[in-house]
Amino acid sequence: MWGDAAEQALYGIVTVFAVLILMVYLMRLSAIVIARIEQARHRPGKKGKSPPPTEHNP
Amino acid sequence: MMMDIPYQTAFQEITWREGIMLGVGLLFIYLAIGKRWEPYVLLSVGVGIILANIPLTGLLNEPDPSQGPAYAGLLGLLRHYGIFYFTVLPQLIFLGLGAMTDFSPLIANPKGFILGAAAQLGIFCAFAGALALGYWGITDFGLKEASAIAIIGGADGPTTIYTTAKLSPGLLGITAATAYSYMAMVALIQPPIIRALTSKEERAIYMKPQLREVSKLELIVFPIFLLIMVCLLVPDAAPLIGMFAFGNLIRVSGVVERLSETAQTVFVDIITILLMLGVGSAMTADVIIKKDTLIILGLGLFAFATSTAGGVLMGKLISRFSKEPFNPVIGAAGVSAVPMAARVAHIEGQKANPRNFLLLHAMGPNVAGVVGSAVVAGVFLGMLED
């Protein structure tokens, strides 16, 4: 039983740290990518989409 | 006919054990109304306990095809379909919790994930403790029982209910009640541990109250990443994390306002009522009044305390290597108990340095703790579920 218990505890500790540390890097990576996308979107001279006309447009 | 009436009442069937449980139910109701301790939880649990411990009501009868549909009682149906057999209710409540959760403090400072992982230490300490007690012959806890008790250290009620219902249904009432009771007492349990493990100088470390602004795209990407990554790595955590991420996506998508509002209010309230009545009804005298209950209460407290210690110690480690000032007290918020644990960290930081405003910083590890405890639950279920 102790062998199984040790295996379960070790697997649990490793998994929870692995998953959450992976999330740290994934979120940092996504923050960088998203920041670049936003930067590209707001680059001066870049044509933005004009808003669609509403039904009440005069 | 009139002479038979006294024999048709429940008075003649009630024993001292049920009497004690009626007292426990009344105590829960008092704590909810009089002390405002987790009132949304303890009120329904208290009524569930009272209803479950009054004999002859038939409310606890579970559906039995040989007895016909009229045989089943309301609490029996709730327990059978909602908790024990299909375990639908704890999974659905995660959808509501996801819709109520703001991940932006965690996305702004992802170090919170590491604190959320470290604050699961108590689960593994209590797991070892429960097995050791079994080994020494004090209890007869095996791996499944030890896992169900240990998950109390995650300080997350629905995760405790889900794991216990799957692994050791007989312990459901007491593990759930222990988890919620200690969650309500976080403000009493955590401060002495935080003070014992940190110096006043450490608690006084000033952190800028503002976090960076998180874009809408980041908020949308986060639950999608969380869902896919956790479900791929720990498939058994999918019922909890899947619903949690879905609920959060409803919130941040910004295109289903009605669903978001419903999930955060009406939906989560209905599920809470049903789940807590079911949990209360699992606390019958024959299940609760025995030696193991006191041991589980002790192990639960041990799990809470060591989880807090794990978070604070990891906070100290990060503080030592961090380039920016980092207050280790926010590690204590890594135990889920949202948002009470974050509030405790905030108050302890402010007591040491009145300029400190740690609430936002502490919310990151706090919500990471919810993910962490669900991941550990998934690991336990993956290894032990039949």
Side-chain angles (χ1 to χ4, degrees), chain B residues 330 333-334 341-343 345-346 358-367:
Chain B
I330 64 170
R343 261 191 227 138
H346 169 72
L358 299 176
L359 192 61
L360 268 182
H361 295 283
M363 282 310 291
N366 209 193
V367 293

Side-chain angles (χ1 to χ4, degrees), chain A residues 1-2 4-5 7-9 11-13 15-17 19-24 26-28 30-31 34 37-38, chain B residues 110 113 117-118 124 127 131-132 135 143 147 212 215 218 222 225 229-230 233-234 314 371-372 379-380 383-384:
Chain A
M1 186 180 80
W2 283 104
D4 291 342
E7 188 189 343
Q8 186 178 335
Y11 185 50
I13 292 168
T15 309
V16 74
F17 270 99
V19 168
L20 297 187
I21 288 172
L22 265 173
M23 283 303 294
V24 174
L26 210 53
M27 289 325 294
R28 287 209 168 138
S30 73
I34 288 167
I37 293 170
E38 300 278 328
Chain B
F113 275 116
F124 302 103
F127 178 67
L131 286 176
Y135 179 73
L143 286 173
S147 303
R212 79 168 173 86
S215 72
E218 281 179 279
F222 180 83
F225 276 177
M229 212 185 72
V230 175
L233 288 171
V234 194
M314 182 57 83
V371 178
V379 171
F380 281 179
M383 296 188 90
L384 295 174

Side-chain angles (χ1 to χ4, degrees), chain B residues 82-99:
Chain B
I83 303 176
F84 291 128
Y85 196 66
F86 295 119
T87 59
V88 174
L89 294 174
Q91 296 174 56
L92 287 180
I93 209 164
F94 257 81
L95 193 155
L97 295 178

Side-chain angles (χ1 to χ4, degrees), chain B residues 99-171:
Chain B
M100 293 163 81
T101 301
D102 177 11
F103 278 117
S104 46
L106 184 60
I107 298 170
N109 186 7
K111 279 178 197 153
F113 275 116
I114 299 168
L115 295 171
Q120 308 310 316
L121 175 73
I123 296 180
F124 302 103
C125 292
F127 178 67
L131 286 176
L133 292 177
Y135 179 73
W136 291 323
I138 298 169
T139 62
D140 53 359
F141 296 147
L143 286 173
K144 288 185 176 181
E145 291 79 12
S147 303
I149 295 164
I151 208 74
I152 295 170
D156 190 312
T159 305
T160 304
I161 295 168
Y162 183 72
T163 312
T164 311
K166 289 268 187 187
L167 295 179
S168 186
L171 297 179

